[in-house]
Every structure is written in structure tokens, then in C-alpha cells.
Amino acid sequence: MVMAAGEGKRMNSKHSKVVQKAAGKPLVCWVADTLREAGALEQVYIVGFRQEEVRAVLGEDVAFVLQEQQLGTGHAVLQAAPFLEGRNGCTIILPGDAPMITPETLRAAIDMFSRDEYGAVVVSAQAPDPTGYGRLVRDAEGNVVRIVEERDASDEEKKIREINSSIYCFRTPLLLSALGRIDAKNSQKEYYLTDTIEILIHDGHKVGSYLTDFDETRGVNDRVELEATGKLLNQRICKRHMRAGVQIIDMERTWIDPIAVIGRDTTIYPGTIIRGETVIAEDCIIGPDSHLDGAIIGEGTEIFQSTAIDCTIGKFCQIGPFSHIRPKSVLGSNITIGAYVEIKNSKMGDFSRARHLTYVGDSKVGRNVNFGCGTVTCNYDGQDKTTCIIGDNVFIGGNSNLISPVHLHDNSYVAAGSTITEDVPELGLAIARTHQVIKENWVAQKNRLRSSDLIPPDRFRGYKGTPTDHMHKEE
């Protein structure tokens, strides 16, 4: 049972707090996935503020209960009581903004609960600074006697460093019995779930606590905590990949979504962001400063300072710097895509290359095609997108425009500086230039000599004197 109804005012957002993302995934989805890994397949989410957002990210595999008024954690759980009736097992309760809790900790708490026949087990931690947390109060023998919220705690109780994580394992019938007896006699006039602990103890049931690392108990209340939690989760992801054989040069400057797959002996350089369902094969080099989102990358490919989104790139390709592989593009193997090249919704065969300043859009490109510098496929007429077909072994000279739809057949050539508007036959050479005209002595007649027109850069940092001093000294 997950509490996800609160507004989270300190987040200062128009969205639900629990759908805010940390390390590439909504907070509540971290909780949902952890529960599944721990074995809790039946999940109920108590929703309220912006419930449609919470439902959207969690999907249809879980149940939802609406808490129309937020009257405290005990009141929230009470809304879901119909789901618990008739059950005799264990009910796990936790907040939807606790993404750091691990399946291992949940399983250990459940094992402790089952082994020693507790009425409830509270997951707790020793906090470096317990301010803001509820405290576990123990008796002289170390038994848990109650949980007190900070706003209701005495000065002595505020010195306690063992804090309540708001994560519990309850024996279900006992939880239902206790929920019916809590009241709102506290400073907030709310129904606290923590009061059920004291009720169970008063009824003679044992309550235990499972002590875990403080980081696992971290909740997220504002943007500062969201950033800090995101870093910790990202470090977990990076460490998981490194233990599986991926070399990450600097995990402080590398961000990897939890669902990304990376093969061993791949190296990730700093400044790289790997998002979505990206799959990277073995022996790749990614980065520095590359952005992959939903990309499938073949073995041995190198991507340097470039972006690849919802595309497929084959084996042993060289991409970058400053390349952009856009959605629906499929690149074969041994392809070179160089500086300032953009590929959009196109297929490109093995061993083809566009080394610089080229745009290939809505095109079908064969094997071993050479795009000269400045080549553009002109695929949009203002209303419709059209296709350019380029066969195998085609050579396209620099600064050429291919006006789609046009077909360059196998083994054809396009001369540099051409604008191609008609199909080029196999083994043919297309030349489409205007006749060159020379006007003798035009520069002198128009007084257009540039030798005295020296324009300095916009800024000279750390240089004393005028920007052109060094030019005159050389003269």
C-alpha cells in the first residue's frame, strides 16, 4: 500500500510530487519497481492531488483508491481498508516519495516480521540530523514502545537519532483493528498511522524495527532533496553497470536511465546522458558530451559529442563530433558520420560516409556512398516530405543539392556544386551548374579591395593594446 495523495507544496510545482523524476524515473515508479522486486505484486495506491498523473505513470497493473481529503497517513490507509479485509498475511505500507528503499531491505524486514511473529515491523535508521523526522521511542530493554512525530515530541525525545522511515510491515488483521481506534488528538489534528504502533503494543503484540542505512530512508520534499536523491540513484545505476563490466570514467558527470542496457567493455566518457530504452552493445565508446535516447548502438561503435534519438546505429561506426541522428534513422555498419551531419528518417547502407556539413532526410542510401561536404537532400517542398533514393557506390561531390524525389542509380557520380532535379542513370555523371562568368578587373573598378579591412574578434581577453597591434608588428 503506497501513499501518493499529497500535494507536496514544498516542491512548488503544478504537478504531483510523486511523478517528479529522479535519475530518469518518477519517484512513485521507483517505489513500484522496488515492491515488485521484493515480491509484493498486489499494489494499492492512495491518490489525491493530480491523481490522473499518478495513474498515468503507474498504468493499469495496480489498484487505486481516492483520498478526497488529506487528513493524515492513518486516514489515507483507512481509505484502502476494503482491499485488506479477509487477508491474513503481511501488508507493506510506504510513502510514494521514497525512491531510495531497496528490495533487499524490504525482503529483510519481511523476513524479520515473519520469523519472530511481530505484529508490525518498522524500518528505521540512525539519522545524522534527525530534524523533521518521527522518532522511535524504546524502553529500557530496547523494545519499541511508540513513534512520536517531531512536532509532538518532547525536548528529550527530539534528541533521539533513530528515525521512522514511514515504511512498515503490518500483520493485516491487526492493522485493520488498530486503524479503527486511532484519533486526531495531536497538534496537526490528523490521523497518524504511527498511532497504530502504540495501539498494537498496548494490545500485547510485539513491534520490531529493522535498522537500515539512512540513505535508503530518504524522502523527497522539495527540489533540493530531489536533486540530491537523483544523484544517489544515478550512482547506484552507474555502479551496477561498472560491476557488469562497463567503464564509466566519471559517474558524477554521467547520467544513465535505469532501463538502459550497456554491454561490457564499453567506455562512457563524462558529460554523457543515456536515456530511455537505449541499448549499447559491447566495446563501444560513448562521449564525452553525447546524448542517447532510445538509441540502439552496435558493437564497437564510437559516438563523440553527438546526439542519437530513437534510431539504430550498426557495428563499428564512427559518429561525431556534433552529429545528430534523428528518429527513425537506421544506419548500417562501418559508417562514418562526421562533424555537423544530420540524418533524419533515413536508411544508410554499410560503409557509407558523410564526413561533414551534410543533411540526409527521408532518404534511402545504399552501400559505400560518399556524401561530399555540404551535400543536402532537399526533402520538403513546403507541404509534403519526399524521398531521395541513392544506390550503391554512388559518389556525390561537395556542395550538391539533391531535389527529392530523385533517384541516383548504382555507381553514378554527381559533380561538385550540382543541383540535381532529375534521376541519374547507372554509371552516369550528372553536372548541373550554371555557366561560369568572369568580369575582368571588377574588384578595382568597384573599389572592393579587402586588404585594409581588418576586423578583429568581438573580444580579446587578457590582451593589452589594440586588437590589431600584433598584425602591424609582423609587417
Side-chain angles (χ1 to χ4, degrees):
M1 191 172 294
V2 182
M3 291 177 283
E7 182 177 350
K9 292 181 180 179
R10 282 183 283 172
M11 196 66 73
N12 194 18
S13 173
K14 58 182 174 292
H15 302 291
S16 165
K17 177 173 71 169
V18 298
V19 304
Q20 304 287 342
K21 288 186 176 181
K25 187 161 69 174
L27 297 174
V28 73
C29 292
W30 282 104
V31 174
D33 290 344
T34 295
L35 285 169
R36 290 190 190 96
E37 289 186 52
L41 303 183
E42 295 181 88
Q43 300 179 17
V44 180
Y45 289 79
I46 302 154
V47 294
F49 179 74
R50 298 303 300 268
Q51 60 163 313
E52 71 282 358
E53 294 183 334
V54 183
R55 291 173 182 266
V57 299
L58 288 170
E60 302 299 323
D61 295 334
V62 300
F64 297 95
V65 172
L66 178 61
Q67 184 189 19
E68 293 185 1
Q69 289 182 286
Q70 279 74 62
L71 300 177
T73 52
H75 177 261
V77 175
L78 200 56
Q79 309 309 298
F83 284 92
L84 305 180
E85 291 173 359
R87 296 174 181 265
N88 294 312
C90 170
T91 295
I92 305 167
I93 300 178
L94 69 170
D97 63 348
M100 293 292 294
I101 194 68
T102 63
E104 293 76 18
T105 292
L106 286 184
R107 283 195 291 264
I110 294 167
D111 290 343
M112 177 183 178
F113 169 86
S114 302
R115 183 178 61 249
D116 296 328
E117 297 184 350
Y118 285 105
V121 167
V122 183
V123 177
S124 65
Q126 292 289 335
D129 178 5
T131 304
Y133 290 91
R135 313 297 207 279
L136 263 69
V137 180
R138 297 176 181 271
D139 61 20
E141 285 75 39
N143 300 310
V144 176
V145 293
R146 67 191 181 101
I147 299 172
V148 60
E149 299 298 330
E150 180 169 276
R151 61 178 66 92
D152 300 310
S154 67
D155 290 341
E156 194 64 29
E157 287 169 337
K158 287 179 181 178
K159 296 177 182 178
I160 298 171
R161 292 182 54 235
E162 186 178 10
I163 57 96
N164 173 28
S165 69
S166 299
I167 300 171
Y168 313 88
C169 300
F170 281 99
R171 197 162 302 282
T172 305
L174 300 182
L175 171 63
L176 284 170
S177 172
L179 283 172
R181 291 180 279 164
I182 59 175
D183 57 38
K185 295 178 181 178
N186 51 66
S187 63
Q188 294 295 102
K189 307 301 182 193
E190 292 183 349
Y191 295 89
Y192 292 158
L193 181 61
T194 50
D195 287 350
T196 60
I197 299 298
E198 195 169 357
I199 291 171
L200 292 182
I201 293 170
H202 184 268
D203 289 347
H205 301 287
K206 289 197 305 180
V207 173
S209 70
Y210 179 81
L211 194 67
T212 189
D213 184 78
F214 174 70
D215 278 344
E216 288 199 37
T217 69
R218 286 177 180 265
V220 177
N221 293 300
D222 57 27
R223 303 279 185 175
V224 175
E225 291 178 353
L226 184 66
E227 186 265 354
T229 301
K231 281 184 176 179
L232 291 170
L233 289 168
N234 184 66
Q235 288 178 13
R236 282 187 188 174
I237 295 168
C238 289
K239 289 175 182 178
R240 170 167 58 84
H241 284 293
M242 287 190 280
R243 292 187 181 106
V246 177
Q247 182 62 54
I248 297 176
I249 302 301
D250 183 356
M251 68 178 178
E252 297 290 335
R253 297 180 57 211
T254 301
W255 288 87
I256 304 174
D257 276 10
I259 57 176
V261 176
I262 307 175
R264 62 181 180 176
D265 295 317
T266 283
T267 300
I268 311 294
Y269 280 92
T272 293
I273 301 172
I274 300 172
R275 299 185 59 194
E277 296 181 358
T278 294
V279 178
I280 303 171
E282 296 183 357
D283 300 305
C284 295
I285 297 176
I286 310 296
D289 304 319
S290 291
H291 177 200
L292 309 184
D293 190 345
I296 299 173
I297 312 299
E299 175 189 358
T301 286
E302 300 182 9
I303 300 178
F304 172 50
Q305 287 185 310
S306 295
T307 297
I309 299 175
D310 294 332
C311 61
T312 300
I313 301 173
K315 299 179 180 180
F316 308 113
C317 294
Q318 293 276 338
I319 310 295
F322 314 121
S323 304
H324 188 183
I325 315 300
R326 290 171 57 187
K328 298 182 181 180
S329 295
V330 179
L331 276 57
S333 298
N334 296 286
I335 284 176
T336 301
I337 302 296
Y340 304 104
V341 174
E342 183 176 353
I343 311 294
K344 176 254 181 184
N345 188 30
S346 297
K347 293 185 177 180
M348 185 174 289
D350 299 347
F351 294 98
S352 291
R353 55 205 167 275
R355 294 189 183 276
H356 34 211
L357 300 170
T358 294
Y359 171 69
V360 180
D362 300 296
S363 298
K364 298 177 181 178
V365 181
R367 286 170 51 90
N368 191 34
V369 172
N370 181 86
F371 289 87
C373 177
T375 298
V376 175
T377 59
C378 304
N379 58 316
Y380 183 50
D381 63 6
Q383 291 184 331
D384 300 309
K385 298 291 178 69
T386 52
T387 300
C388 180
I389 301 175
I390 303 171
D392 295 342
N393 308 311
V394 171
F395 179 90
I396 304 167
N399 197 31
S400 293
N401 299 305
L402 310 180
I403 312 299
S404 301
V406 68
H407 188 170
L408 280 57
H409 289 266
D410 293 352
N411 301 298
S412 61
Y413 275 62
V414 173
S418 295
T419 296
I420 304 300
T421 59
E422 299 177 3
D423 293 353
V424 181
E426 186 172 359
L427 302 177
L429 168 64
I431 307 173
R433 309 167 180 154
T434 59
H435 180 69
Q436 182 170 315
V437 176
I438 302 295
K439 295 187 177 182
E440 297 287 346
N441 208 33
W442 179 88
V443 174
Q445 290 173 1
K446 297 294 185 179
N447 192 26
R448 300 297 292 270
L449 287 168
R450 290 173 48 79
S451 59
S452 60
D453 187 18
L454 302 177
I455 302 174
D458 291 341
R459 290 183 296 177
F460 265 65
R461 294 182 177 177
Y463 178 72
K464 305 299 182 183
T466 63
T468 54
D469 280 352
H470 67 288
M471 302 176 187
H472 299 307
K473 288 176 183 177
E474 289 174 1
E475 293 172 1

